[in-house]
Amino acid sequence: MAEVTMRVWRGDANGGDFESYSVTQNEGEVVLDVIHRIQATDAPDLACRWNCKAGKCGSCAAEINGKPQLMCMTRMDTLPEGPVTVTPMKTFPIIRDLVTDVSFNFAQAEKVPALLPPPMPEDGYRMYQEDVTRGQEFRKCIECFMCQDVCHVIRDHEGNKQHYAGPRFFIRYAELEMHPLDTNDRRDLIREEMGLGYCNITKCCTEVCPEHIKITDNAIIPLKERVVDAHYDPVAWLGRKIRRRTKRSADDAAVQPAP
Amino acid sequence: MTYEHHDYDVLIIGAGGAGLRAAIEAKQRGLSVGILTKSLLGKAHTVMAEGGMAAAMGNVYPEDNWMVHFRDTMRGGKYLNNYRMAELHAKESPARVLELEQWGALFDRTKDGKILQRDFGGHRYARLAHVGDRTGLELIRTLQQKVVSMGTDVFMEVKVLRLVHDADGRVAGCVAYRRQTGEFITFGAKAVILATGGAGKSWKFTSNSWEGTGDGHAMALWAGANLIDMECIQFHPTGMVWPLSVRGLLVTEGVRGDGGVLRNSEGKRFMFDYVAPMFRAETAESEEEADKWYYDHTAGRRPPELLPRDEVARAINAEVKAGRGTPHGGVYLDIATRRPAEFIRRRLPSMYHQFMELAGVDITTEAMEIGPTCHYIMGGVQVEADTAATAARGLFAAGEVAGGMHGANRLGGNSLSDLVVFGKRAGEGAAQYIAAGDVAGPMNAHQVEAAVAEALAPFDREAGENPYDIQRDLQEMMQANVGIIRTQSELEDAAIQLDAFTERVKNIKVKGPRAYNPGWNLATDLPAMITVCKAVTIGATLRKESRGGHTREDYPGADPEFAKFNFAHSTDGGNWDSDIVTKESALLAMPEELKVLLEEAK
Ligand SMILES: Cc1cc2nc3c(=O)[nH]c(=O)nc-3n(C[C@H](O)[C@H](O)[C@H](O)COP(=O)(O)OP(=O)(O)OC[C@H]3O[C@@H](n4cnc5c(N)ncnc54)[C@H](O)[C@@H]3O)c2cc1C
Ligand code: SF4
Ligand code: SF4
Ligand code: FES
């Protein structure tokens, strides 16, 4: 057991300030444990989000000593000695204390044109592990929105939110574009309305991703190639493979025989 | 008072797997749908599910079919199940899993491109469709993306406080509050579907999140529906025990399905000593036999580590009690000495990650320390199997909040499939109810005002208790008195203490503003938590036998007389602390052709 000083940002849309709490910290605890202890004792109204406490739901993102992290997966004993500062994600409007308004992300999700698969054969589709592995990487995303938080295109330019989907949604588009069953074409949308061109591959998003998704290398760069190809030469993209197998036509995918 | 108000044909409370699947169904039938969730979309419990969803697709073992799945479910549930639910579930889950792929799900694959299925406790064949150990994430994201693409209204961080009736006693909507602003909001609906999940947060060591406070169970009871089997609580055998701050966090059964074994402090694989007579015929007698089974289910019988969860949890409890536990009071779960590191990292990536980051344990080289954790409530709202209708007119229930499907004990993987099978059926049931035309009129304004006044009362008190203190004491009491092993005197004591908790809740003082105030939110959870705990305790006191997730130290055996009915709780619905009345509700009689399936396999 030890005492630790937590400097937690408290306030709302009208402003706020750091408040210091001196709390006990037990062996093996994570930042969220200590925040919960503050709630249970000094400040029952301290607002924060969490659900799973196991890095699975992506609710508890905050900036710990200035760095976006999941509070439930950050062990107190990995932080440097001295007070620990906890602030809400900077890119999103504050609701209260550590809780931000992440509705921008849900609005982006509404714009994504859905998967358009061929009709399903009675006993299901056939897809091979090598066809789905890349998509599965992207589907590990727990929607913590920390990549959205660090991406300078959104972080530094509020106005960009209108026309920039952000890394979380670039992997979503990449996943759909690489989906073995998909027949939708989202290339114009991605280029013209989702602002893929603004991304200058700084890789900050990849670095912060708690699921270790290679957002830039595996999603954004291939997506850029595909979208740019489509723009300058509508047929060239067919030749480029951004996935192991080229997108098959709807009928092909449905009747793919077992090897 | 007037509040923000919305009307829908179908109102769905809960955005886990069950609520989202119900929404898709109702939408597809042309109804207007509103979904309410007290957290953000995509964060419900369902996202935490790890191991997989059970469906007899026969992709790995062609011998598998719905009849075997039905039998496994009934045996796992110790025959307390609503047989019709178990039957529908076994028959319909393959189609419900397959349709997820149309909406974008990417399950792990077999070599011939089908959905891969994994072994889990109590399932005779490898039956769980999965994605590594993050199946729940795949399920919720797929359904969420489908719901969003259909243009459904989702109200996030809106917490429902009470269901509201019309003048004739039909369920007509609900009162809720917006967490982000603290403002009240009301919803009117022709039909309401409850899909609020579980109630495990009332125990100290639990795999459940803050959401698992049993709101739906309590609201249904208050609104005139019945709760059944509330004493049947699943303590999952493998929760983390160290460090203390993560005690209770789930370790997926997939570890055992993929070859992990349980050992005591002497290094002994002790589960061989705990095979109940009912399972002897199909369980391996030696380590050698068990180890063959993983590779070929016809070469040996199944390892005892894969007995149903209630059996394994009790065995672990007994080993620890006998002094053969680990330093932190659990037993060892060892996969490190049994499978290559590469295999473990590929099959169980989030377990690897979870132990590495939170406990500093590398599960590819070291054993995990684990012990039972409160995980799932088999009990819930009594429903009609085919339509998910409850005894309260206009109210439907699906998912963990509904009771009956799993009997006295749920098999792993049977929940995720339950969500989609009965989520769909609830959507259908609500649509049929609406089509029949006898739907609710306007909401009873008195009920709305009463709920609002009750919610605000903790702000108005001069002084009073911190809700966190009450929650902590409640969790400790339930863990100690109504935990995995129960006895008459402790249950009687629990009943007395619950009355005292009721009084304490009436004296809560909340500080701070209404906007995003977790203390206030907890204050609104506590009436539901205590109501649920009361029903659990009453059921546990009356069920003088041991069955599935209900174990009595003073009545260690199962008594066939108790296999004939469920304990059903109801209340007059006046106030949240109105007395609970408990009756015996006879089990549905099973048709001969299904009985035969159970006989054959014995
Ligand atoms: C760690 C873990 C692992 C698991 N692994 C598996 C597995 O591998 N296989 C399996 O089959 N099962 C598993 N389970 C069980 C399974 O995940 C749950 O039983 C299931 O997800 C419950 O789904 P649901 O749709 O009923 O409710 P939930 O997913 O719990 O969703 C409940 C919803 O209701 C909302 N809600 C609740 N109360 C209110 C209110 N008052 N107002 C507004 N909204 C409200 C919540 O916000 C949430 O959206 C696991 C459970 C846990 C905890
Ligand atoms: S790589 Fe692109 S998307 Fe990622 S943080 Fe940098 S600019 Fe943003
Ligand atoms: S891609 Fe990674 S960082 Fe971005 S939201 Fe998903 S999990 Fe979080
Ligand atoms: S609480 Fe779920 S990721 Fe932290």
Side-chain angles (χ1 to χ4, degrees):
Chain A
M1 268 216 267
E3 284 285 311
V4 60
T5 302
M6 302 293 291
R7 295 181 67 238
V8 184
W9 195 89
R10 307 254 359 228
D12 55 25
N14 302 317
D17 206 350
F18 285 98
E19 194 137 333
S20 287
Y21 301 92
S22 178
V23 227
T24 25
Q25 171 201 327
N26 300 316
E27 190 186 339
E29 285 188 337
V30 293
V31 173
L32 187 61
D33 289 314
V34 179
I35 294 287
H36 280 165
R37 187 160 301 125
I38 298 175
Q39 278 183 336
T41 52
D42 295 346
D45 66 329
L46 167 58
C48 81
R49 284 196 181 102
W50 69 283
N51 278 52
C52 69
K53 211 171 168 294
K56 294 194 173 88
C57 73
S59 302
C60 67
E63 301 194 2
I64 300 167
N65 290 338
K67 190 174 164 230
Q69 272 170 297
L70 297 177
M71 289 194 282
C72 72
M73 294 303 280
T74 307
R75 295 256 305 224
M76 289 295 291
D77 55 17
T78 60
L79 300 172
E81 288 275 319
V84 176
T85 14
V86 188
T87 41
M89 286 193 282
K90 177 171 173 254
T91 300
F92 306 115
I94 300 271
I95 291 176
R96 199 164 163 258
D97 303 341
L98 302 177
V99 174
T100 57
D101 176 1
V102 291
S103 56
F104 158 66
N105 300 291
F106 291 100
Q108 284 297 341
E110 285 174 15
K111 296 183 187 165
V112 180
L115 181 81
L116 202 63
M120 186 172 72
E122 201 166 312
D123 64 341
Y125 299 108
R126 294 290 178 278
M127 290 186 265
Y128 298 93
Q129 189 60 46
E130 71 258 31
D131 293 335
V132 302
T133 301
R134 182 47 52 77
Q136 286 182 331
E137 180 193 358
F138 302 144
R139 291 181 71 81
K140 285 196 310 192
C141 170
I142 57 173
E143 300 205 321
C144 65
F145 306 129
M146 292 198 293
C147 56
Q148 307 284 82
D149 180 44
V150 292
C151 178
H152 68 98
V153 181
I154 321 175
R155 195 173 175 105
D156 301 337
H157 310 278
E158 174 61 32
N160 281 347
K161 281 189 193 159
Q162 302 307 317
H163 34 78
Y164 189 69
R168 191 287 169 250
F169 293 95
F170 294 146
I171 62 169
R172 172 77 175 129
Y173 283 106
E175 173 215 322
L176 287 165
E177 290 292 294
M178 296 178 196
H179 196 294
L181 300 176
D182 186 48
T183 61
N184 233 339
D185 187 347
R186 305 170 187 78
R187 285 168 297 158
D188 287 344
L189 176 82
I190 296 168
R191 190 185 55 249
E192 283 155 25
E193 287 168 50
M194 296 303 141
L196 185 65
Y198 290 102
C199 161
N200 55 350
I201 326 233
T202 58
K203 297 203 183 187
C204 310
C205 51
T206 304
E207 276 162 29
V208 83
C209 177
E211 288 292 311
H212 308 293
I213 301 169
K214 295 205 170 54
I215 304 174
T216 12
D217 290 358
N218 290 348
I220 295 182
I221 294 173
L223 206 57
K224 275 181 180 262
E225 288 180 16
R226 179 176 166 80
V227 165
V228 167
D229 285 350
H231 190 45
Y232 293 112
D233 180 355
V235 271
W237 71 272
L238 277 170
R240 295 255 202 157
K241 287 184 186 155
I242 59 168
R243 58 198 127 107
R244 278 165 221 249
R245 284 159 197 255
T246 46
K247 186 178 275 189
R248 295 186 219 100
S249 74
D251 292 345
D252 274 342
V255 297
Q256 180 74 25
Chain B
M1 280 285 285
T2 54
Y3 308 102
E4 177 185 351
H5 180 84
H6 303 266
D7 284 305
Y8 291 98
D9 293 333
V10 182
L11 187 68
I12 297 176
I13 307 178
L20 294 173
R21 186 61 189 83
I24 294 170
E25 194 61 26
K27 266 268 181 194
Q28 282 176 339
R29 289 163 184 265
L31 299 169
S32 71
V33 174
I35 303 177
L36 316 185
T37 158
K38 61 179 177 175
S39 52
L40 294 174
L41 183 58
K43 312 298 184 192
H45 248 118
T46 301
V47 79
M48 297 162 67
E50 296 164 355
M53 56 200 301
M57 297 190 286
N59 290 352
V60 175
Y61 285 87
E63 300 90 322
D64 200 10
N65 58 49
W66 75 264
M67 291 173 279
V68 191
H69 193 181
F70 169 73
R71 161 203 174 268
D72 290 349
T73 302
M74 293 295 297
R75 278 167 68 87
K78 306 282 153 53
Y79 307 113
L80 211 55
N81 321 54
N82 174 325
Y83 86 83
R84 179 67 179 157
M85 291 178 88
E87 178 193 2
L88 291 170
H89 169 261
K91 284 180 175 165
E92 294 173 5
S93 52
R96 296 288 80 76
V97 172
L98 285 177
E99 81 192 347
L100 294 170
E101 295 211 308
Q102 274 175 300
W103 303 335
L106 293 174
F107 290 102
D108 287 350
R109 319 304 299 179
T110 63
K111 285 206 174 56
D112 57 353
K114 295 183 186 169
I115 294 174
L116 182 60
Q117 299 185 272
R118 89 164 12 130
D119 280 303
F120 244 51
H123 292 283
R124 176 180 278 196
Y125 298 111
R127 187 180 281 151
L128 270 70
H130 62 277
V131 189
D133 52 6
R134 56 160 191 86
T135 313
L137 171 63
E138 191 65 16
L139 177 66
I140 200 164
R141 205 63 88 231
T142 301
L143 295 174
Q144 165 187 353
Q145 286 165 347
K146 176 72 182 165
V147 159
V148 168
S149 75
M150 296 172 90
T152 317
D153 291 350
V154 182
F155 294 81
M156 295 188 223
E157 299 195 319
V158 167
K159 188 195 161 179
V160 181
L161 301 165
R162 280 284 193 136
L163 298 171
V164 179
H165 298 106
D166 69 356
D168 294 330
R170 300 186 201 85
V171 171
C174 69
V175 198
Y177 88 95
R178 283 189 181 273
R179 297 200 62 199
Q180 299 188 359
T181 59
E183 296 299 324
F184 292 97
I185 171 170
T186 54
F187 295 87
K190 294 176 183 157
V192 176
I193 300 177
L194 275 178
T196 48
K201 196 63 194 167
S202 295
W203 281 262
K204 185 172 177 193
F205 301 126
T206 176
S207 66
N208 288 195
S209 81
W210 66 269
E211 293 203 282
T213 47
D215 303 358
H217 289 80
M219 290 191 293
L221 183 81
W222 299 333
N226 301 324
L227 299 178
I228 55 166
D229 295 338
M230 294 298 284
E231 64 279 14
C232 300
I233 307 270
Q234 180 165 81
F235 288 81
H236 192 293
T238 60
M240 289 176 80
V241 295
W242 187 257
L244 213 54
S245 72
V246 291
R247 178 141 190 180
L249 206 65
L250 194 75
V251 180
T252 175
E253 188 165 321
V255 176
R256 281 170 286 141
D258 285 348
V261 296
L262 296 168
R263 298 186 203 278
N264 61 22
S265 59
E266 295 161 5
K268 182 174 176 199
R269 207 173 144 182
F270 59 82
M271 277 308 299
F272 289 97
D273 302 341
Y274 293 92
V275 183
M278 177 179 179
F279 296 104
R280 243 169 239 158
E282 57 191 56
T283 308
E285 274 165 46
S286 67
E287 297 196 19
E288 200 190 3
E289 182 188 356
D291 286 348
K292 283 189 196 140
W293 176 90
Y294 295 103
Y295 303 98
D296 179 358
H297 292 7
T298 57
R301 288 168 295 172
R302 53 195 303 119
E305 282 84 3
L306 288 175
L307 286 168
R309 290 178 175 171
D310 50 332
E311 309 284 334
V312 183
R314 270 193 300 271
I316 294 172
N317 206 62
E319 283 295 307
V320 175
K321 245 188 174 160
R324 293 186 292 270
T326 65
H328 300 111
V331 297
Y332 294 108
L333 172 60
D334 165 31
I335 191 164
T337 66
R338 307 205 10 111
R339 295 288 181 267
E342 206 285 311
F343 174 90
I344 300 170
R345 273 194 296 264
R346 179 167 48 83
R347 298 281 297 172
L348 302 161
S350 36
M351 286 304 109
Y352 175 74
H353 197 62
Q354 181 173 313
F355 272 90
M356 197 60 124
E357 313 242 320
L358 295 175
V361 168
D362 179 351
I363 67 167
T364 68
T365 60
E366 296 167 77
M368 298 160 246
E369 269 186 80
I370 56 87
T373 179
C374 180
H375 183 55
Y376 185 90
I377 182 157
M378 274 69 73
V381 186
Q382 190 169 38
V383 290
E384 199 182 271
D386 291 73
T387 60
T390 72
R393 276 182 299 161
L395 183 66
F396 298 77
E400 192 169 341
V401 69
M405 159 68 206
H406 306 286
N409 171 57
R410 173 179 72 93
L411 295 184
N414 267 3
S415 170
L416 294 187
S417 40
D418 164 5
L419 306 184
V420 283
V421 168
F422 293 103
K424 177 179 192 306
R425 282 192 166 269
E428 265 167 30
Q432 284 160 6
Y433 169 80
I434 292 171
D438 182 24
V439 296
M443 290 199 282
N444 177 329
H446 294 294
Q447 290 182 357
V448 174
E449 288 311 318
V452 167
E454 194 173 284
L456 290 177
F459 285 106
D460 301 334
R461 292 188 187 110
E462 292 281 302
E465 253 195 293
N466 178 347
Y468 284 95
D469 291 339
I470 301 179
Q471 186 199 36
R472 184 201 52 228
D473 293 349
L474 178 70
Q475 290 166 335
E476 278 175 9
M477 191 283 284
M478 289 302 285
Q479 187 78 31
N481 286 26
V482 199
I484 178 165
I485 312 281
R486 301 156 181 179
T487 189
Q488 190 71 20
S489 55
E490 289 174 359
L491 292 168
E492 284 170 7
D493 177 51
I496 296 168
Q497 294 206 45
L498 284 167
D499 287 337
F501 278 111
T502 305
E503 295 310 309
R504 285 173 71 181
V505 167
K506 293 178 188 164
N507 187 36
I508 289 176
K509 167 75 190 161
V510 171
K511 297 193 188 109
R514 272 162 61 174
Y516 225 110
N517 184 336
W520 182 35
N521 196 66
L522 179 57
T524 66
D525 287 341
L526 281 164
M529 295 173 86
I530 287 169
T531 301
V532 168
C533 289
K534 282 181 180 168
V536 171
T537 306
I538 295 170
T541 313
L542 292 175
R543 187 169 283 282
K544 295 189 184 339
E545 63 152 358
S546 293
R547 185 178 294 274
H550 169 67
T551 305
R552 289 282 301 249
E553 195 168 29
D554 41 357
Y555 300 95
D559 175 348
E561 284 306 305
F562 277 103
K564 294 178 179 161
F565 57 85
N566 310 106
F567 286 109
H569 313 277
S570 60
T571 171
D572 67 10
N575 297 309
W576 72 265
D577 59 344
S578 299
D579 284 343
I580 295 176
V581 180
T582 305
K583 295 197 181 101
E584 292 173 10
S585 165
L587 286 182
L588 290 182
M590 202 184 308
E592 283 308 317
E593 66 269 24
L594 293 180
K595 270 192 196 152
V596 176
L597 296 177
L598 302 183
E599 290 305 321
E600 269 172 4
K602 263 185 185 162

